[in-house]
PDB file of all heavy atoms in Angstrom:
ATOM      1  N   VAL A 244      -9.310 -23.269  -9.320  1.00 95.00           N
ATOM      2  CA  VAL A 244      -8.567 -22.868  -8.139  1.00 95.00           C
ATOM      3  C   VAL A 244      -8.696 -21.347  -7.955  1.00 95.00           C
ATOM      4  O   VAL A 244      -8.817 -20.617  -8.924  1.00 95.00           O
ATOM      5  CB  VAL A 244      -7.070 -23.265  -8.272  1.00 95.00           C
ATOM      6  CG1 VAL A 244      -6.394 -22.524  -9.426  1.00 95.00           C
ATOM      7  CG2 VAL A 244      -6.309 -23.035  -6.986  1.00 95.00           C
ATOM      8  N   SER A 245      -8.696 -20.911  -6.700  1.00 97.00           N
ATOM      9  CA  SER A 245      -8.629 -19.493  -6.445  1.00 97.00           C
ATOM     10  C   SER A 245      -7.212 -18.989  -6.729  1.00 97.00           C
ATOM     11  O   SER A 245      -6.226 -19.734  -6.600  1.00 97.00           O
ATOM     12  CB  SER A 245      -8.964 -19.194  -4.966  1.00 97.00           C
ATOM     13  OG  SER A 245     -10.309 -19.531  -4.662  1.00 97.00           O
ATOM     14  N   VAL A 246      -7.120 -17.727  -7.132  1.00 98.00           N
ATOM     15  CA  VAL A 246      -5.802 -17.164  -7.444  1.00 98.00           C
ATOM     16  C   VAL A 246      -5.274 -16.234  -6.348  1.00 98.00           C
ATOM     17  O   VAL A 246      -4.087 -15.924  -6.302  1.00 98.00           O
ATOM     18  CB  VAL A 246      -5.779 -16.450  -8.786  1.00 98.00           C
ATOM     19  CG1 VAL A 246      -5.836 -17.473  -9.900  1.00 98.00           C
ATOM     20  CG2 VAL A 246      -6.965 -15.474  -8.926  1.00 98.00           C
ATOM     21  N   PHE A 247      -6.180 -15.744  -5.459  1.00 98.00           N
ATOM     22  CA  PHE A 247      -5.777 -14.820  -4.419  1.00 98.00           C
ATOM     23  C   PHE A 247      -6.411 -15.205  -3.098  1.00 98.00           C
ATOM     24  O   PHE A 247      -7.544 -15.692  -3.069  1.00 98.00           O
ATOM     25  CB  PHE A 247      -6.178 -13.385  -4.742  1.00 98.00           C
ATOM     26  CG  PHE A 247      -5.562 -12.842  -6.007  1.00 98.00           C
ATOM     27  CD1 PHE A 247      -6.359 -12.484  -7.108  1.00 98.00           C
ATOM     28  CD2 PHE A 247      -4.196 -12.697  -6.114  1.00 98.00           C
ATOM     29  CE1 PHE A 247      -5.817 -11.991  -8.269  1.00 98.00           C
ATOM     30  CE2 PHE A 247      -3.616 -12.204  -7.306  1.00 98.00           C
ATOM     31  CZ  PHE A 247      -4.446 -11.822  -8.378  1.00 98.00           C
ATOM     32  N   THR A 248      -5.681 -14.950  -2.011  1.00 98.00           N
ATOM     33  CA  THR A 248      -6.240 -15.040  -0.663  1.00 98.00           C
ATOM     34  C   THR A 248      -5.677 -13.889   0.135  1.00 98.00           C
ATOM     35  O   THR A 248      -4.573 -13.390  -0.182  1.00 98.00           O
ATOM     36  CB  THR A 248      -5.897 -16.407  -0.013  1.00 98.00           C
ATOM     37  OG1 THR A 248      -6.611 -16.526   1.201  1.00 98.00           O
ATOM     38  CG2 THR A 248      -4.411 -16.503   0.278  1.00 98.00           C
ATOM     39  N   ARG A 249      -6.414 -13.413   1.127  1.00 97.00           N
ATOM     40  CA  ARG A 249      -5.989 -12.226   1.869  1.00 97.00           C
ATOM     41  C   ARG A 249      -4.945 -12.553   2.902  1.00 97.00           C
ATOM     42  O   ARG A 249      -5.034 -13.544   3.638  1.00 97.00           O
ATOM     43  CB  ARG A 249      -7.203 -11.592   2.560  1.00 97.00           C
ATOM     44  CG  ARG A 249      -8.157 -10.909   1.600  1.00 97.00           C
ATOM     45  CD  ARG A 249      -7.614  -9.649   0.984  1.00 97.00           C
ATOM     46  NE  ARG A 249      -7.384  -8.613   1.970  1.00 97.00           N
ATOM     47  CZ  ARG A 249      -8.328  -7.747   2.379  1.00 97.00           C
ATOM     48  NH1 ARG A 249      -9.569  -7.826   1.872  1.00 97.00           N
ATOM     49  NH2 ARG A 249      -8.052  -6.847   3.274  1.00 97.00           N
ATOM     50  N   ALA A 250      -3.939 -11.697   2.973  1.00 97.00           N
ATOM     51  CA  ALA A 250      -2.924 -11.758   4.025  1.00 97.00           C
ATOM     52  C   ALA A 250      -3.170 -10.602   4.962  1.00 97.00           C
ATOM     53  O   ALA A 250      -3.427  -9.482   4.545  1.00 97.00           O
ATOM     54  CB  ALA A 250      -1.516 -11.687   3.441  1.00 97.00           C
ATOM     55  N   THR A 251      -3.124 -10.879   6.249  1.00 94.00           N
ATOM     56  CA  THR A 251      -3.372  -9.813   7.242  1.00 94.00           C
ATOM     57  C   THR A 251      -2.141  -8.993   7.544  1.00 94.00           C
ATOM     58  O   THR A 251      -2.251  -7.892   8.079  1.00 94.00           O
ATOM     59  CB  THR A 251      -3.922 -10.419   8.532  1.00 94.00           C
ATOM     60  OG1 THR A 251      -2.983 -11.389   9.042  1.00 94.00           O
ATOM     61  CG2 THR A 251      -5.258 -11.086   8.310  1.00 94.00           C
ATOM     62  N   ARG A 252      -0.955  -9.517   7.195  1.00 96.00           N
ATOM     63  CA  ARG A 252       0.289  -8.794   7.422  1.00 96.00           C
ATOM     64  C   ARG A 252       1.056  -8.691   6.137  1.00 96.00           C
ATOM     65  O   ARG A 252       1.158  -9.626   5.349  1.00 96.00           O
ATOM     66  CB  ARG A 252       1.172  -9.508   8.457  1.00 96.00           C
ATOM     67  CG  ARG A 252       0.562  -9.715   9.832  1.00 96.00           C
ATOM     68  CD  ARG A 252       1.612 -10.200  10.795  1.00 96.00           C
ATOM     69  NE  ARG A 252       2.423 -11.286  10.239  1.00 96.00           N
ATOM     70  CZ  ARG A 252       3.685 -11.513  10.611  1.00 96.00           C
ATOM     71  NH1 ARG A 252       4.278 -10.786  11.531  1.00 96.00           N
ATOM     72  NH2 ARG A 252       4.365 -12.534  10.050  1.00 96.00           N
ATOM     73  N   ALA A 253       1.648  -7.501   5.910  1.00 96.00           N
ATOM     74  CA  ALA A 253       2.434  -7.320   4.700  1.00 96.00           C
ATOM     75  C   ALA A 253       3.603  -8.274   4.630  1.00 96.00           C
ATOM     76  O   ALA A 253       3.972  -8.723   3.530  1.00 96.00           O
ATOM     77  CB  ALA A 253       2.924  -5.851   4.652  1.00 96.00           C
ATOM     78  N   ALA A 254       4.145  -8.628   5.782  1.00 96.00           N
ATOM     79  CA  ALA A 254       5.296  -9.506   5.794  1.00 96.00           C
ATOM     80  C   ALA A 254       4.991 -10.928   5.285  1.00 96.00           C
ATOM     81  O   ALA A 254       5.891 -11.641   4.854  1.00 96.00           O
ATOM     82  CB  ALA A 254       5.848  -9.610   7.222  1.00 96.00           C
ATOM     83  N   ASP A 255       3.733 -11.272   5.324  1.00 97.00           N
ATOM     84  CA  ASP A 255       3.306 -12.607   4.866  1.00 97.00           C
ATOM     85  C   ASP A 255       2.849 -12.637   3.417  1.00 97.00           C
ATOM     86  O   ASP A 255       2.486 -13.699   2.886  1.00 97.00           O
ATOM     87  CB  ASP A 255       2.165 -13.142   5.752  1.00 97.00           C
ATOM     88  CG  ASP A 255       2.560 -13.272   7.221  1.00 97.00           C
ATOM     89  OD1 ASP A 255       3.750 -13.569   7.458  1.00 97.00           O
ATOM     90  OD2 ASP A 255       1.693 -13.081   8.088  1.00 97.00           O
ATOM     91  N   ALA A 256       2.815 -11.470   2.775  1.00 98.00           N
ATOM     92  CA  ALA A 256       2.189 -11.369   1.452  1.00 98.00           C
ATOM     93  C   ALA A 256       3.146 -11.745   0.309  1.00 98.00           C
ATOM     94  O   ALA A 256       4.343 -11.556   0.387  1.00 98.00           O
ATOM     95  CB  ALA A 256       1.683  -9.945   1.244  1.00 98.00           C
ATOM     96  N   GLN A 257       2.530 -12.281  -0.731  1.00 98.00           N
ATOM     97  CA  GLN A 257       3.216 -12.520  -1.995  1.00 98.00           C
ATOM     98  C   GLN A 257       2.910 -11.451  -3.038  1.00 98.00           C
ATOM     99  O   GLN A 257       3.635 -11.269  -3.984  1.00 98.00           O
ATOM    100  CB  GLN A 257       2.849 -13.908  -2.520  1.00 98.00           C
ATOM    101  CG  GLN A 257       3.319 -15.057  -1.638  1.00 98.00           C
ATOM    102  CD  GLN A 257       2.621 -16.367  -1.993  1.00 98.00           C
ATOM    103  OE1 GLN A 257       1.421 -16.455  -2.031  1.00 98.00           O
ATOM    104  NE2 GLN A 257       3.441 -17.377  -2.280  1.00 98.00           N
ATOM    105  N   VAL A 258       1.785 -10.765  -2.817  1.00 98.00           N
ATOM    106  CA  VAL A 258       1.416  -9.621  -3.623  1.00 98.00           C
ATOM    107  C   VAL A 258       1.064  -8.478  -2.673  1.00 98.00           C
ATOM    108  O   VAL A 258       0.187  -8.657  -1.825  1.00 98.00           O
ATOM    109  CB  VAL A 258       0.183  -9.902  -4.531  1.00 98.00           C
ATOM    110  CG1 VAL A 258      -0.189  -8.644  -5.314  1.00 98.00           C
ATOM    111  CG2 VAL A 258       0.462 -11.060  -5.463  1.00 98.00           C
TER     112      VAL A 258
END
Side-chain angles (χ1 to χ4, degrees):
V244 63
S245 294
V246 286
F247 299 118
T248 189
R249 289 289 294 275
T251 57
R252 300 191 315 153
D255 298 328
Q257 295 166 305
V258 179

